[in-house]
Amino acid sequence: MTATIAPPQPPGPPPAPPRPSRRDRSARACSNRLHRSEHRTAALFIALPVLGFALFVLYPIGFAVVTSFTAWNGITSPVFTGLDNYVRMIGDQYFWKSLGNTVYMMMAIPVGLLLSLVLALAMNRRMRGTTFFRTIYYIPVISSIAAIAILWQWAYNGDFGLINQALGMVGIDGPNWLQNPATSKLAIMIMAVWKGLGFSMLLYLAALQSVPRQLYEAAAIDGASTLQQFWAITVPMLRPVTFFLVVTNIIGGAQIFVEVNIMTPDGGPEFSTATIVWYIWRQAFEYLNMGYATAISLMLGLLVFVVTALQFA
Amino acid sequence: MSTPAPQSPPRAAVAAAAAPATAAGPKPVPATRRSTGRRAPAGPPLTRRQKIGNWIVGAIVSLGGITMIAPLVWMFSTSLKTREAVFALPPEWIPSPAQWENYLRVWDAGPLLSGIMNSAVVAVSVTVVGGAASAVAAYAFAKMRLPFKGVIFLSLLAAIMIPFPTLMIPQFQMFAFAGLVDTLWPLILPAIFGNIIMVFFLRQYLDSVPDAIIEAAKIDGAGHFQIFWRLIFPIIRPAIAAQFILWFMAVWNDYLAPIIYLNSPEVQTLQLVIARFNATYASQTDYPLIMAASCIALVPVLTVFVIFQRQIIESIALTGSKG
């Protein structure tokens, strides 16, 4: 839900082009006056969001760019240090490690999308109980991430957690998930898939239900098998929603923080779950390296922007 | 769009009912009408093969559903155990006797009540004020003449792509300069200027409202404030309600902004309070208390979800098709 990328012109009538005046000049003068008053009111109506944009987006961006060239603890006045922060970033193994962890965790995105598509296909059948299951699958989505992270931290407990007990039933001796660098990332990824499944499934389901039935009927008459129909009709028709989900998931995935902050407050064993936002947060608000943290946060912003733009290209 | 909608979306009906003024004109039909789910019994009788398929698929979907719900049930179950019963092997799903007093104990164990109050203050003020700001802005962007309207709208929209972590350090410094750190203001102020996602969806919704009724109102001498309040607001009320609920839940569940601004226990929001519970009581292995606090944190949002399920799910489903 974080980002909605709009086509420049949404479908529907283009937003009111200035009308050619039809009558004589006095009418035109009158309509100009009317327009001007309308302009004033319209400007007033959009004033708050525009002001908010200036105050809480534009100004902070400018501030961030300037700050990224300084050494600053947030209290005394900043000292200009040129590109030092960026040079430091290149040599900072913790930065690279947390960036790598973030990218690694984002590999859960395709898995989650695939699972949710399969579920949506299953729910799209003429079958009783789909509404009920839709609700069930959606509950983790609306639940607070803090509560969910607390719950899963407990569920991943090596000896008494739900996960290992479930694994025990099928004879697997589960690891101590969050204390083991080999499994800590995987643990967070599984939880993320679990939490996000309902959202993608719902969007896929809506998209599936909007595919015109005639397409399948026509294909069936032409002798296309179910599998052929899936590849030739369903997959292309699902492309826009897949695109939307990939973009929003990448934007969200690049910003994983709460899970790490709650489940592995120190960045996990051997720094194995530290994400980029977690590292920014720690540099800024624990170590008070505001300048350095700002430089990293600008890199994150740039990265998200580039990845999103690449999706459009 | 050709999908027969077994239950016509409530929004159109409500909008029409709520706006008798527009009844003369064509009904404002949302651009996309579709309903998700509840389509089981309609259509020709199922073949034998379909029925068997349904059984298999149903079994898989049920298994998935159990996976979805089991952790939450387990959480609730844990919240009703004694501290020792948590470590029983094999675990018991239905604790006996259920320790309901955990839910009494939890209120004294930390600032849970003030956390709920703080979260409510933030969420209500943000959504009410910010929602109003978003609604009038959406009307202006959709229906009013203004030079450079499109460019302004696109720049606002592009801002969504900037991740909050990129903005949080400068914003923190702004609020530190204003002496507002460790108050609820940094959580409220940036949001009451409106939410561009909400503006976007309301604008889309307004596309389905014919310009003619606005022109007619203008000819009748209505000003733009009047038009918005008497004409537009009743029409877009269902869309506002849906966005309002989604935004409320998002603010309620927010964690990153509260954790950077709030230190003192008495100003912390609910999410921070339960995280603090987790950190404090895990070392004392008082898991029932932690889980009870977390369950309490989930209840408000779950309640809202259960009540407004249809509206929430429909507006989420629209997200994908409009995005």
Side-chain angles (χ1 to χ4, degrees), chain A residues 2 38 126 134 144 209 261, chain B residues 3 36 44 145 160 255 271:
Chain A
T2 43
E38 182 165 335
R126 278 173 49 213
R134 208 180 53 185
S144 106
Q209 296 187 348
N261 178 268
Chain B
T3 316
T36 50
R145 294 183 187 89
I160 309 177
Y255 184 81
Q271 308 306 328

Side-chain angles (χ1 to χ4, degrees), chain A residues 129-154:
Chain A
T130 49
T131 316
F132 172 74
F133 280 115
R134 208 180 53 185
T135 308
I136 296 289
Y137 281 93
Y138 208 70
I139 286 178
V141 180
I142 52 120
S143 300
S144 106
I145 178 74
I148 294 299
I150 293 170
L151 156 64
W152 277 80
Q153 184 184 25
W154 171 222

Side-chain angles (χ1 to χ4, degrees), chain A residues 1-8 10-11 13 15-17 19 35 38-39 41-46 48-53 55-57 59-61 63-64 72 74 119 122-131 133-140 142-148 150-155 157 159-162 165 194 197 199 202-203 205-207 209-214 241 244 251 255 257-258 261-262 277 280-281 284-285 290 293-294 297-298 300-301 304-305 308 312, chain B residues 1-3 34-46 50 53-54 57-58 60-62 64-65 67-72 74-75 78 86-87 89 91 93 133 136-137 139-141 143-147 149 152 154-157 159-175 189-190 192-193 197 200-201 203-204 207 215 218 224-225 228 246 249 253 255-256 259-260 271 274-275 278 287 290-291 294 298 301-302 305 309 312-313 316-317 319-320 323:
Chain A
M1 226 6 269
T2 43
T4 319
I5 289 79
R19 305 203 164 168
H35 280 189
E38 182 165 335
H39 292 170
T41 319
L44 190 68
F45 278 8
I46 65 165
L48 274 180
V50 171
L51 195 67
F53 172 74
L55 265 177
F56 296 108
V57 178
Y59 173 76
I61 287 282
F63 187 98
W72 189 34
L119 271 173
M123 303 274 236
N124 196 34
R125 296 171 68 92
R126 278 173 49 213
M127 194 170 75
R128 246 176 263 279
T130 49
T131 316
F133 280 115
R134 208 180 53 185
T135 308
I136 296 289
Y137 281 93
Y138 208 70
I139 286 178
I142 52 120
S143 300
S144 106
I145 178 74
I148 294 299
I150 293 170
L151 156 64
W152 277 80
Q153 184 184 25
W154 171 222
N157 184 299
D159 298 317
F160 308 100
L162 177 68
Q165 280 168 9
W194 176 83
L197 205 58
F199 180 72
L202 197 63
L203 293 198
L205 189 58
Q209 296 187 348
S210 72
V211 177
R213 205 142 283 279
Q214 297 94 305
V241 75
F244 173 80
I251 295 177
Q255 301 181 48
F257 170 78
V258 185
N261 178 268
I262 289 181
V277 172
I280 293 170
W281 173 77
F285 299 107
M290 292 289 179
T294 311
S297 78
L298 277 177
L300 169 73
V304 168
F305 185 81
T308 316
F312 281 103
Chain B
M1 244 70 56
S2 69
T3 316
R34 72 184 51 137
S35 123
T36 50
R38 290 212 195 185
R39 39 190 287 148
L46 298 171
Q50 278 173 318
N54 272 1
V57 170
I60 295 168
V61 169
S62 307
T67 316
M68 286 288 128
I69 210 72
L72 293 161
W74 195 60
M75 175 186 206
T78 305
V86 162
F87 302 109
L89 285 175
W93 280 82
V136 289
Y139 167 58
F141 278 124
K143 296 295 180 198
M144 291 175 78
R145 294 183 187 89
L146 181 71
K149 196 171 72 168
I152 298 173
L154 278 184
S155 349
L156 294 189
L157 209 54
I160 309 177
M161 275 194 274
I162 302 169
F164 174 69
T166 306
L167 304 172
M168 71 182 180
I169 298 168
Q171 285 190 8
F172 180 85
Q173 290 305 331
M174 286 165 69
F175 286 113
L189 281 177
I192 58 174
F193 288 90
I197 298 174
F200 175 76
F201 280 107
R203 196 187 89 128
Q204 296 284 75
D207 275 346
E215 298 295 331
K218 273 189 210 162
H224 281 284
F225 283 99
F228 175 78
L246 291 175
M249 296 200 299
N253 290 339
Y255 184 81
L256 178 52
I259 202 181
I260 66 177
Q271 308 306 328
I274 61 166
N278 186 38
Y287 288 105
I290 296 168
M291 293 301 144
S294 303
L298 284 183
V301 165
L302 279 181
F305 177 63
Q309 220 196 99
I312 293 172
I313 284 188
I316 293 287
T319 311

Side-chain angles (χ1 to χ4, degrees), chain B residues 21 25 49 112 131 170 191 200 202 228 232:
Chain B
R49 198 167 152 238
L112 203 58
F200 175 76
L202 294 182
F228 175 78
I232 299 297

Side-chain angles (χ1 to χ4, degrees), chain A residues 28 47 50 78 85 89 147 149 190 199 211 287:
Chain A
R28 189 182 301 166
V50 171
N85 287 327
M89 207 188 305
I190 292 172
F199 180 72
V211 177
Y287 302 151

